[in-house]
Amino acid sequence: MPIPPYRFLTEVLKGQGQVTFMPSALTGLFFAAALFAAGWEYGLYGLLGTAVGTATARLLGVDRGRVADGLEGFNACLVSTGCAVFLGADRISSVLMALGGAVVVTVVTAALANVLASWNLPTFTLPFCLVASATTMAAPGFHRVWEGAAGTTALTRPATGATSLSWTQLWHAFFADIGQIFFMPQWYVGLLFLLGIFAASRSAGLVACLGSAVGIATAWALGSPADGIAQGLMGYNAVLTAMAVCGVFIVADRWSLGYAVAAGAAATALTAAVTSFFAPSGGHTFTWPFVLTSLVFVAAVPSFPRLRRV
Amino acid sequence: MPIPPYRFLTEVLKGQGQVTFMPSALTGLFFAAALFAAGWEYGLYGLLGTAVGTATARLLGVDRGRVADGLEGFNACLVSTGCAVFLGADRISSVLMALGGAVVVTVVTAALANVLASWNLPTFTLPFCLVASATTMAAPGFHRVWEGAAGTTALTRPATGATSLSWTQLWHAFFADIGQIFFMPQWYVGLLFLLGIFAASRSAGLVACLGSAVGIATAWALGSPADGIAQGLMGYNAVLTAMAVCGVFIVADRWSLGYAVAAGAAATALTAAVTSFFAPSGGHTFTWPFVLTSLVFVAAVPSFPRLRRV
Amino acid sequence: MPIPPYRFLTEVLKGQGQVTFMPSALTGLFFAAALFAAGWEYGLYGLLGTAVGTATARLLGVDRGRVADGLEGFNACLVSTGCAVFLGADRISSVLMALGGAVVVTVVTAALANVLASWNLPTFTLPFCLVASATTMAAPGFHRVWEGAAGTTALTRPATGATSLSWTQLWHAFFADIGQIFFMPQWYVGLLFLLGIFAASRSAGLVACLGSAVGIATAWALGSPADGIAQGLMGYNAVLTAMAVCGVFIVADRWSLGYAVAAGAAATALTAAVTSFFAPSGGHTFTWPFVLTSLVFVAAVPSFPRLRRV
């Protein structure tokens, strides 16, 4: 049964917005603009992925409420954009992998949603992490997908490089932490994403800022190389984790605010662990630290009477 | 309480048949013949494993229905045969590891069956994958189990080798895809296995053929080296996945047929990822891609009203 | 609401005792003494961790019964002691990591307890394993946490070294198997831990001895290098597994005794596998083999009518 193009477009934009939990077409519009600002291919890959994921969910008859809220689009958006970033945006094989990945991640989303429902837990971006990790680990094994002879597997070595942050690195990091949610290191791209969050909810925007600050502070305190911090690589998980834990899945109050700070710091430390864990297999960190930390901090809530689930 | 030898023998043969979901003693007979055709030791290891697993389940009082259907034998069959293939068939230590593994995998099967029952999910060959992966990762650490100084750990590098399939490679691959379910690359062994499946169910045999074709087509399209495809290494997971998703756990119809094609393709791509993931620890791919893909595609069914669980 | 110092002290000591499942302040006193015997820093780190974990649980309002039984202390005790052992006891950064780890592991414990409750399964030391593994994998990425340029990631190679055990190695191993539960290889430290277990329960002490014997026998039979056996590295998981499976979570009788022997042997073999699995990422074995084996052997119980859960 065909649906009005306008409604489908709304679902796709909401799907983009759901990457940061915002079921808002306006947020999605900002996010699309930010991706196009980073590169027109990224903008197209993002929209393509969200559209394919949403359409697959419709075709398979997924609950209309989920589709209408954009919940069937955000993992596909990230899978597709990830294919552009990690496999090369200008290759026809990357487009096909993005299409296939967007279909498969819809099935993975349904499976995980059914399983995690036992504990009233959301899937976060776990479907994206699973499909994207499998894709990056598999890609070098396929000639038509992988270009060049360089591999991606490595054993991590102790970090080297300066740890003191310059003022420029600091404020770049603050915005890049938002941009890296979509793999983008440019500060102005991050700023557009942040504006998109604020467009949907001022409190969500403030918590995102808090998460970025916690990520930078934790990474600096632990002695993470400044270069990575400035590119937003150490803080994007803290942004998502703070938002999930304070406002989105747990009622925002004083207690959940402290809880979000702890969770953001934990996600930042976990970022280095996940990087080491996947490096030998050629995987990437993606949003695994956010997913794992948020699953734990949200699953723990029933034991902590001071916190209340939304 | 002793049981008639004839009934125990039937359970063991059904246990062999259950490797491809067929609770049929005739299928099991074909499978035993195929293993003996590959090497008499493999035939013996297979029967030994199935027998020990089935006997352990009986001793511990597992539900009679499961034992009678052969559901307590197939993981042990694969663990035992795997010990022969990966630790060396002619070593007494391999026999002991096969015995121990067959006992332990029975406990793992019970544990996973209890856990996965929460979502009405079967264990597939997950118990085998866990025990066999642990065995291959542990083996080099033990002098009496591991022969020689060569290790098994490595970082995977981008694939090399020709990707165009000759006609001989193509039809070898078609049958080897069935043989590799039991680790066997010979086309005639695969043919015997396929005949065993057809002996139990013509539709299951046809879906197995479809799965093999999907595996070959996907691997070729992605650019997998032809040599591995010809040995069946890229397609055996697609065979099992297609069978699980169309006919065994989901009612066979047009929708589940399309679902099986998607699942088979996903399992084939996942094969390269699993290989990269386990390579640094000295693990093997086994049927992990099948298990993970099938768990996801079957767990997702409640969200897709077009599909119906058996 | 403040609590009497005496009651809090009791909870902390019980928390130490719970590392080996004993909710006994006397056992905890023995364990603290053993840690101080190994080094006063270790004693302090242990008490600090248990205290912080217990206080965090109180602050967040965790069920009083759990706190009073010491169930909120033992994972934090191990995380904190692990920071001393693996990051260097005399560094201020290690103290801060221990504090942060003790807080986070309390949240992880709550999350896992809620999830595993679906199958009436305990968390064992899974929270500790997760936090400690993440910490050791992340640490080299942080300048202020990690000292020196030497990395921890490696591909495991086949074992070398003599496999025949001398009498001294044998009895050292017997006690070191208990000491390594707290990362300590000294036989007299292990002896103090064993006395602590006997102080709470004679039968638990005997099962611990059985577990140590099973671990040594299995490791020797498989051909594990004697040096590692003598340091207790191959047997500590068997000790904990045997205790969990015979007496603590399954009613002690003839059947569970045999079950404990099988589980102890499986945990010993699994030790080498876990070591290989985590080596490339710089992780450690910790008590993963115990946790995984015990989860499986306890989760399987409902399928085995001969065994009864406590």
Side-chain angles (χ1 to χ4, degrees):
Chain A
M1 67 217 95
I3 57 157
Y6 171 77
R7 195 194 295 168
F8 185 71
L9 182 67
T10 311
E11 289 172 2
V12 168
L13 288 176
K14 282 190 184 173
Q16 305 243 73
Q18 281 285 6
V19 173
T20 62
F21 318 106
M22 300 292 119
S24 150
L26 181 59
T27 302
L29 216 52
F30 268 97
F31 287 6
L35 282 176
F36 275 101
W40 62 269
E41 306 97 325
Y42 299 136
L44 284 185
Y45 269 92
L47 288 173
L48 176 81
T50 320
V52 171
T54 305
T56 304
R58 278 200 161 270
L59 180 75
L60 288 168
V62 170
D63 172 62
R64 283 299 163 89
R66 281 185 60 88
V67 178
D69 281 351
L71 288 170
E72 295 294 335
F74 68 102
N75 281 291
C77 174
L78 289 170
V79 166
S80 181
T81 314
C83 283
V85 172
F86 292 102
L87 304 180
D90 54 351
R91 294 163 58 80
I92 189 75
S93 62
S94 302
V95 178
L96 295 174
M97 290 298 286
L99 287 173
V103 170
V104 169
V105 84
T106 305
V107 179
V108 177
T109 301
L112 291 174
N114 291 335
V115 168
L116 292 170
S118 300
W119 305 282
N120 190 24
L121 290 171
T123 63
F124 299 106
T125 49
L126 181 53
F128 151 64
C129 286
L130 288 168
V131 173
S133 293
T135 302
T136 52
M137 285 192 265
F142 296 125
H143 276 289
R144 280 188 249 281
V145 177
W146 195 248
E147 203 171 34
T152 55
T153 55
L155 298 180
T156 50
R157 298 289 167 211
T160 52
T163 57
S164 64
L165 278 172
S166 72
W167 167 243
T168 309
Q169 285 178 315
L170 188 65
W171 72 263
H172 276 201
F174 183 79
F175 295 114
D177 279 353
I178 324 279
Q180 283 287 1
I181 295 171
F182 287 84
F183 324 104
M184 301 301 155
Q186 304 92 333
W187 68 267
Y188 53 89
V189 175
L191 176 59
L192 278 170
F193 283 121
L194 186 57
L195 292 176
I197 300 173
F198 270 106
S201 156
R202 202 168 63 172
S203 62
L206 289 172
V207 175
C209 292
L210 171 74
S212 184
V214 168
I216 295 169
T218 307
W220 172 83
L222 291 168
S224 194
D227 194 50
I229 298 179
Q231 288 178 51
L233 292 172
M234 294 306 294
Y236 65 101
N237 286 288
V239 171
L240 289 170
T241 305
M243 293 179 75
V245 162
C246 180
V248 177
F249 297 109
I250 305 178
V251 176
D253 60 15
R254 260 186 332 138
W255 284 95
S256 69
L257 203 66
Y259 203 56
V261 171
T268 305
L270 189 55
T271 301
V274 170
T275 302
S276 291
F277 182 75
F278 281 119
S281 334
H284 284 273
T285 311
F286 295 120
T287 46
W288 279 108
F290 148 62
V291 169
L292 297 174
T293 308
S294 297
L295 277 176
V296 162
F297 275 71
V298 174
V301 167
S303 298
F304 302 149
R306 308 208 193 282
L307 299 166
R308 277 170 303 131
R309 280 294 302 274
V310 168
Chain B
M1 66 217 96
I3 57 156
Y6 171 77
R7 196 195 293 170
F8 186 70
L9 183 67
T10 310
E11 288 172 3
V12 169
L13 289 177
K14 282 190 182 174
Q16 306 243 74
Q18 282 284 7
V19 173
T20 62
F21 318 106
M22 301 292 119
S24 150
L26 181 58
T27 302
L29 216 53
F30 267 97
F31 287 7
L35 282 176
F36 274 102
W40 62 268
E41 306 97 325
Y42 299 137
L44 284 185
Y45 270 92
L47 288 173
L48 176 80
T50 319
V52 170
T54 306
T56 305
R58 279 201 161 267
L59 180 74
L60 289 167
V62 170
D63 172 61
R64 282 299 162 90
R66 281 185 59 88
V67 178
D69 281 351
L71 288 170
E72 295 293 335
F74 68 102
N75 280 290
C77 173
L78 289 170
V79 165
S80 182
T81 314
C83 283
V85 172
F86 292 102
L87 304 179
D90 54 350
R91 293 162 59 79
I92 189 77
S93 62
S94 303
V95 178
L96 296 173
M97 290 298 285
L99 287 173
V103 170
V104 169
V105 85
T106 305
V107 179
V108 177
T109 300
L112 291 173
N114 291 336
V115 169
L116 292 170
S118 300
W119 305 282
N120 189 25
L121 290 171
T123 63
F124 300 105
T125 50
L126 182 53
F128 151 65
C129 286
L130 288 168
V131 172
S133 292
T135 302
T136 52
M137 285 192 266
F142 296 125
H143 277 289
R144 280 190 248 280
V145 177
W146 196 249
E147 203 171 34
T152 55
T153 55
L155 298 180
T156 50
R157 297 289 167 212
T160 54
T163 56
S164 65
L165 279 171
S166 72
W167 168 244
T168 309
Q169 286 178 312
L170 187 65
W171 72 263
H172 275 201
F174 183 79
F175 295 115
D177 280 352
I178 324 278
Q180 283 287 1
I181 296 171
F182 287 84
F183 324 103
M184 301 300 155
Q186 304 91 332
W187 68 266
Y188 53 89
V189 175
L191 177 59
L192 278 170
F193 283 121
L194 185 58
L195 291 178
I197 300 173
F198 270 106
S201 155
R202 202 170 62 172
S203 62
L206 288 172
V207 175
C209 291
L210 172 74
S212 184
V214 168
I216 295 169
T218 307
W220 173 84
L222 291 169
S224 195
D227 195 50
I229 298 178
Q231 288 178 51
L233 292 172
M234 294 307 293
Y236 65 101
N237 286 287
V239 171
L240 289 169
T241 305
M243 292 179 76
V245 162
C246 180
V248 177
F249 297 108
I250 305 177
V251 175
D253 59 16
R254 259 186 333 138
W255 284 96
S256 69
L257 203 66
Y259 203 57
V261 171
T268 305
L270 189 55
T271 300
V274 170
T275 303
S276 291
F277 183 75
F278 281 119
S281 331
H284 284 273
T285 311
F286 294 120
T287 47
W288 280 107
F290 148 62
V291 169
L292 297 174
T293 308
S294 297
L295 277 176
V296 162
F297 274 72
V298 174
V301 168
S303 297
F304 302 149
R306 308 207 193 284
L307 298 167
R308 276 171 304 131
R309 281 293 302 273
V310 167
Chain C
M1 66 217 94
I3 57 155
Y6 171 77
R7 196 195 294 170
F8 186 69
L9 183 67
T10 310
E11 288 173 3
V12 169
L13 288 177
K14 282 190 183 174
Q16 306 243 74
Q18 281 283 8
V19 173
T20 62
F21 319 105
M22 300 292 118
S24 149
L26 181 59
T27 302
L29 216 53
F30 267 98
F31 287 5
L35 282 176
F36 276 101
W40 62 269
E41 305 97 325
Y42 299 137
L44 284 185
Y45 269 91
L47 287 173
L48 176 81
T50 319
V52 170
T54 305
T56 305
R58 279 200 161 268
L59 180 74
L60 288 167
V62 170
D63 172 62
R64 283 299 163 86
R66 281 185 60 87
V67 178
D69 281 351
L71 287 170
E72 295 294 335
F74 67 102
N75 281 290
C77 173
L78 289 170
V79 165
S80 181
T81 314
C83 283
V85 172
F86 292 103
L87 304 179
D90 54 351
R91 294 163 58 79
I92 188 77
S93 62
S94 302
V95 178
L96 295 173
M97 291 299 285
L99 288 173
V103 170
V104 169
V105 84
T106 305
V107 179
V108 177
T109 300
L112 291 174
N114 291 336
V115 168
L116 292 171
S118 299
W119 305 282
N120 190 25
L121 290 171
T123 63
F124 299 107
T125 49
L126 181 53
F128 151 64
C129 285
L130 288 168
V131 172
S133 292
T135 303
T136 52
M137 285 193 264
F142 296 124
H143 277 289
R144 280 189 249 280
V145 177
W146 194 248
E147 203 172 34
T152 54
T153 56
L155 298 180
T156 50
R157 298 288 167 212
T160 53
T163 56
S164 64
L165 279 171
S166 72
W167 168 243
T168 310
Q169 286 178 313
L170 188 64
W171 71 264
H172 276 200
F174 183 79
F175 294 115
D177 280 352
I178 325 278
Q180 283 287 1
I181 296 171
F182 287 84
F183 324 104
M184 301 300 156
Q186 305 90 332
W187 68 266
Y188 53 90
V189 174
L191 176 59
L192 278 170
F193 282 121
L194 186 57
L195 292 177
I197 299 172
F198 271 105
S201 156
R202 202 170 63 173
S203 61
L206 289 173
V207 175
C209 291
L210 172 73
S212 184
V214 168
I216 294 169
T218 307
W220 174 83
L222 292 168
S224 195
D227 194 49
I229 299 179
Q231 288 179 52
L233 291 172
M234 294 307 294
Y236 66 101
N237 285 288
V239 171
L240 289 170
T241 305
M243 293 178 76
V245 162
C246 180
V248 177
F249 296 108
I250 305 177
V251 175
D253 59 15
R254 259 187 332 139
W255 284 96
S256 69
L257 203 66
Y259 204 57
V261 171
T268 305
L270 189 56
T271 300
V274 170
T275 303
S276 290
F277 182 75
F278 281 119
S281 332
H284 283 274
T285 311
F286 294 120
T287 46
W288 280 108
F290 148 63
V291 169
L292 297 174
T293 308
S294 297
L295 277 176
V296 162
F297 274 71
V298 174
V301 168
S303 298
F304 301 149
R306 308 207 193 283
L307 299 166
R308 276 170 304 131
R309 282 292 303 272
V310 168

